[in-house]
Amino acid sequence: MLTRDELYWPDDVIPGPDDALYVVVSQLPTAPPLNEGQRQPSFPFLVVRFWPEASP
């Protein structure tokens, strides 16, 4: 198991109207149940946009 305080991961992938994919990055380790009851998100929240390569 990998554990690090600053480890975030993709939470959701959403297709956009511009043919890009948008990835919402989770900050689950900062949620109160996993952080000794404290909410300590890191700002700004992150949404990643990318365009997948075309299939041949």
Side-chain angles (χ1 to χ4, degrees):
M1 175 183 278
L2 176 65
T3 58
R4 292 186 67 147
D5 291 341
E6 69 276 2
L7 183 64
Y8 303 125
W9 52 86
D11 184 48
D12 200 2
V13 178
I14 304 162
D18 55 356
D19 295 325
L21 294 177
Y22 292 81
V23 181
V24 179
V25 178
S26 171
Q27 292 191 25
L28 192 57
T30 66
L34 301 174
N35 197 26
E36 299 177 3
Q38 301 295 314
R39 186 173 191 278
Q40 298 176 331
S42 175
F43 296 100
F45 296 113
L46 187 59
V47 176
V48 178
R49 176 179 66 183
F50 71 95
W51 287 268
E53 292 185 20
S55 300

